[in-house]
Amino acid sequence: MYTFFATLPPPPDSSTPASTNPILKTVFSFLANIQPTWYEANVTGYDYLSPYYISTYHILPIGAYPLQTLQNLTSSYRVLLRSLPNITISQDNYALFPSNLAYMHGTAVADALHGAVGLGVQVSSRLVPTSLFATSASRSVLVSALLKGLDALASLGGNATHPPPVELGLYSTVPYHAKDERYETSVNPAWRRSTWHVVTGGAWKAEESEEATRGTQVVTRAVMGPLIRLVGDVAEAEVTAGNGQLNYSDRHDNQQGTRAGEEPESCGAGRGWGYRKGVENKSRSSSASSPPYSNTSSTNRHDTARTGRNSERHVNRGYGYVNEGDYLEPNWREVFYGGLYEKLLAVKREWDPEGVLSCWKCVGWTEEKGADE
C-alpha cells in the first residue's frame, strides 16, 4: 500500500475559490489521466482532496510481487506529489502486509483520518462513467466539475488548522475487471460502466448549532452539484445517442458551480452543459435500445404516479451508490438502482412480503412504509 498525506499552503483567505488552486488542478488532472492504467494493473484506492490537504492511499491486492509492482506503478504519482510547491508532508511510505488482518490494522490510521465515529454525517455521491476518461477533453471537463464543486467550501470558512468539515473523495473501487455486458449482476448496473465513485462527506458534532449543521449539509450537497449535472448529461447522452459521448469543446470553462444555499433538488436541475449549440436538452422515454441503467426508464412513470413529477420534464441526475448516497436524493429509485427498481421490487415482494428487512430508501421503502417524500 502507498500512503501519502500533506498539508497545502493555505489560500490567501477562506473565500478564495478552490478552482483557482493550481495544486488541486494538477493532482486531479494526473489522477484522471492515470486511473485507467492503474485499473488495468488492479490498483485500487482512495484520494481525498481539499484546499488544505491531500490524503491518498493506493492498494495492489494481488500479484507475485505486489509491493515492487505498486512502487513502479505509483512512482510517477509519488514524484508529482513530492514536487508540489510549499507543501508539508507528514506521510509518504509504502507497506507490505502479510495477511488481511495485518492490512486492517495497518490501514486503521488512514481510515481514522476520514472516519466519522460519533459524529453526525451527510454524504452525497456519484459514479463517474468510464466515457469521461476517454479523451483529454472529457478528462478536462471532469476535473473542472470537481474543482467547481470545491468552490462551495468557501462559505464554511476554515483554515489550515481547522479546515472546513467537508471533504471530497475519489474512490477507485468499482468492479473494473468484472465485466457484465448484460447488466444483470449489480443492484445498480452503472457500476459496470464507471471508473470512479466520487463521494463528498460532511460531519458535525452533537453540540453544534442547528445553523452550523445545516450549513455543513448544504455545502456537502453543493460540492457534488457540478458533477451531478455532468454525469447526468452523460447518462442522458447514452439514452438519446446510445454512446454516452458529449460535445466537450464548449462546456466547462464557463460553467457555474452550485451555490452553497441551493437545496438538493436544484443541484441537478441546472441546464445541460453539452450537446450541440442551440439544441434544447429534452428527456426522452426509454426505448428497447436504451441501457437498463437509463434514468428515463419506467421508473419515472412510477415516480410520477406517486409524487406528481412530470417524467417528460425529468432532469437526469446520473447514478450513485445507496450506501453512500444523500438521504434526500431526488429521484432516488433511478439514481440508486439505475432502472432496475421495478425488477428489484418484485424480488423484494416475493421474498419479504411483510417488509421485515427495510432501510431508508432501500428497495420497497416507500411502498411498504407509506413514507411521504
Side-chain angles (χ1 to χ4, degrees):
M1 182 177 75
Y2 175 54
T3 305
F4 181 90
F5 186 91
T7 55
L8 307 185
D13 61 73
S14 61
S15 64
T16 302
S19 56
T20 64
N21 188 317
I23 291 179
L24 290 179
K25 184 175 182 179
T26 296
V27 176
F28 273 129
S29 299
F30 183 92
L31 291 170
N33 287 330
I34 203 170
Q35 189 60 67
T37 300
W38 280 352
Y39 269 150
E40 288 293 340
N42 293 298
V43 175
T44 64
Y46 305 85
D47 293 273
Y48 300 91
L49 292 100
S50 155
Y52 297 93
Y53 61 85
I54 295 173
S55 177
T56 179
Y57 52 108
H58 288 272
I59 306 147
L60 182 62
I62 61 175
Y65 304 99
L67 181 58
Q68 180 181 352
T69 303
L70 183 63
Q71 288 173 329
N72 292 336
L73 288 166
T74 58
S75 61
S76 59
Y77 185 40
R78 189 186 192 196
V79 169
L80 173 78
L81 292 174
R82 291 168 64 92
S83 68
L84 295 173
N86 302 317
I87 67 172
T88 302
I89 300 173
S90 57
Q91 293 184 48
D92 177 28
N93 59 274
Y94 289 91
L96 178 64
F97 303 102
S99 66
N100 186 61
L101 180 60
Y103 165 77
M104 297 300 291
H105 283 299
T107 57
V109 175
D111 290 340
L113 289 174
H114 310 286
V117 177
L119 301 176
V121 177
Q122 167 69 49
V123 297
S124 183
S125 67
R126 278 302 182 271
L127 294 165
V128 180
T130 299
S131 59
L132 277 170
F133 294 80
T135 68
S136 59
S138 61
R139 292 191 294 269
S140 177
V141 167
L142 172 59
V143 169
S144 179
L146 295 171
L147 289 170
K148 283 290 185 182
L150 286 175
D151 284 350
L153 294 178
S155 66
L156 292 178
N159 53 51
T161 304
H162 300 287
V166 177
E167 67 178 7
L168 183 148
L170 308 178
Y171 292 14
S172 49
T173 55
V174 300
Y176 182 85
H177 288 283
K179 304 299 183 185
D180 176 17
E181 297 302 326
R182 298 179 64 181
Y183 308 106
E184 293 182 339
T185 58
S186 293
V187 169
N188 189 335
W191 270 111
R192 303 295 181 181
R193 297 187 61 162
S194 299
T195 294
W196 272 345
H197 178 213
V198 178
V199 180
T200 57
W204 59 89
K205 297 179 180 179
E207 60 267 24
E208 292 189 38
S209 68
E210 182 177 349
E211 181 181 4
T213 298
R214 172 71 172 168
T216 299
Q217 292 173 329
V218 169
V219 170
T220 301
R221 295 180 176 118
V223 170
M224 190 60 62
L227 183 63
I228 287 176
R229 291 195 292 273
L230 173 58
V231 298
D233 278 356
V234 172
E236 177 67 13
E238 290 186 333
V239 175
T240 59
N243 58 14
Q245 297 300 312
L246 300 180
N247 176 9
Y248 297 104
S249 60
D250 0 285
R251 290 171 65 88
H252 286 265
D253 286 345
N254 297 318
Q255 78 182 38
Q256 297 298 314
T258 302
R259 295 183 298 274
E262 289 183 342
E263 292 299 314
E265 183 75 53
S266 62
C267 288
R271 293 173 293 279
W273 289 352
Y275 312 130
R276 297 181 301 278
K277 286 185 177 180
V279 179
E280 181 182 0
N281 298 337
K282 296 180 180 179
S283 297
R284 293 163 173 80
S285 299
S286 61
S287 65
S289 61
S290 298
Y293 49 86
S294 163
N295 250 3
T296 51
S297 68
S298 60
T299 315
N300 286 345
R301 295 190 293 274
H302 177 83
D303 270 352
T304 302
R306 290 193 166 272
T307 68
R309 296 190 182 108
N310 186 340
S311 63
E312 292 303 311
R313 296 180 59 85
H314 174 68
V315 175
N316 202 311
R317 292 174 57 86
Y319 307 96
Y321 177 45
V322 64
N323 275 20
E324 288 152 340
D326 188 340
Y327 75 99
L328 293 181
E329 181 69 60
N331 304 317
W332 58 273
R333 297 181 187 87
E334 306 158 29
V335 171
F336 295 154
Y337 304 106
L340 293 182
Y341 185 82
E342 296 296 340
K343 180 178 179 180
L344 294 168
L345 182 60
V347 174
K348 169 77 171 177
R349 287 172 171 167
E350 178 180 359
W351 293 99
D352 186 19
E354 301 300 322
V356 174
L357 304 176
S358 185
C359 63
W360 186 272
K361 294 193 174 177
C362 291
V363 174
W365 174 73
T366 299
E367 291 76 7
E368 294 172 9
K369 300 301 179 184
D372 183 6
E373 293 185 304

